[in-house]
Amino acid sequence: MPDSENLEPLFDVLRETVPPPCYEPGAPLQAHVTNLDASAYLGRIALCRIRNGTISRGQQAAWCRRDGSIERVKISELYLTEALDRVQADSAGPGDIVAIAGIPDIMIGETLADVDDPRPLPLITVDEPAISMTIGVNTSPLAGLTAAAKVTARLVRDRLDRELVGNVSLAVAADRAPRYLGGPRPRRAGAGRAGGDDAPGGLRN
């Protein structure tokens, strides 16, 4: 390949070495959710590998959830990847990796199946977060000043909530009662008023 003008020799090796997708002809739809993404416009996006059957934009599917329940959902958007771009598609089949929008609470490991013959695939488990972090009230000398406007607990919580849409490695819990580090909240000139953006309850990630 060092003498080649492009990557075609590498692609030839991949085509000769990597087997084509195995599937059962005529089998009902089985699409395994293997990852998640998020979009400000579409919300949560499920990245699925189609094991059997075909899936089309606008069709009804059976959402086989982790708790064993099955819910009918609509595939509102369907995307395939071409080169580095995600492009809208009308349908996809076995072996395709697709991005599906329209199911806000779908999780990794669940299955999208045929509504008339739902066959869930084995669940994929996701490890619990390995690092714990507690975010408390900002009691630094910058508290209440313009320089600290982007690190208030409310804004940090909003940012974490947005990240949770497509990132299953996070778990966020919020204490309802305000928690202050080092005793009562200090009162001094320039500090924000009590109950303002710089004095909400702490967050625990």
Side-chain angles (χ1 to χ4, degrees):
M1 278 197 306
D3 298 330
S4 176
E5 296 179 354
N6 52 47
L7 294 177
E8 281 303 322
L10 173 61
F11 296 149
D12 291 339
V13 172
L14 292 175
R15 284 190 287 264
E16 294 169 0
T17 306
V18 179
C22 297
Y23 63 96
E24 182 182 345
L29 171 65
Q30 288 179 305
H32 216 178
V33 182
T34 57
N35 207 348
L36 297 176
D37 199 355
S39 162
Y41 175 68
L42 298 172
R44 177 168 291 183
I45 297 173
L47 304 180
C48 307
R49 180 180 180 184
I50 302 177
R51 301 285 185 176
N52 286 301
T54 59
I55 192 167
S56 302
R57 180 160 50 95
Q59 81 169 67
Q60 299 287 322
W63 173 21
C64 303
R65 310 185 68 167
R66 302 187 72 87
D67 59 6
S69 64
I70 297 177
E71 182 178 338
R72 183 187 291 259
V73 294
K74 181 180 180 180
I75 309 301
S76 61
E77 295 291 346
L78 178 69
Y79 296 89
L80 287 168
T81 300
E82 291 185 3
L84 298 178
D85 297 323
R86 188 175 285 169
V87 297
Q88 195 172 65
D90 293 326
S91 63
D96 285 333
I97 306 294
V98 297
I100 293 172
I103 313 172
D105 299 322
I106 197 166
M107 290 293 293
I108 289 178
E110 298 178 333
T111 303
L112 292 174
D114 189 285
V115 291
D116 298 321
D117 188 9
R119 303 180 187 180
L121 292 164
L123 286 173
I124 299 173
T125 57
V126 179
D127 292 339
E128 292 292 325
I131 298 175
S132 178
M133 179 184 300
T134 300
I135 303 173
V137 173
N138 184 3
T139 58
S140 76
L142 296 178
L145 303 180
T146 303
K150 298 299 182 182
V151 292
T152 63
R154 179 180 63 82
L155 292 177
V156 172
R157 174 58 190 264
D158 290 345
R159 177 65 183 86
L160 290 173
D161 285 342
R162 291 196 301 271
E163 185 68 19
L164 284 172
V165 175
N167 190 341
V168 296
S169 65
L170 290 177
V172 178
D175 295 335
R176 293 191 176 277
R179 298 176 63 248
Y180 303 120
L181 303 180
R185 177 177 175 79
R187 302 182 62 86
R188 58 177 183 76
R193 60 185 176 83
D197 288 348
D198 58 334
L203 303 180
R204 184 174 294 106
N205 176 17

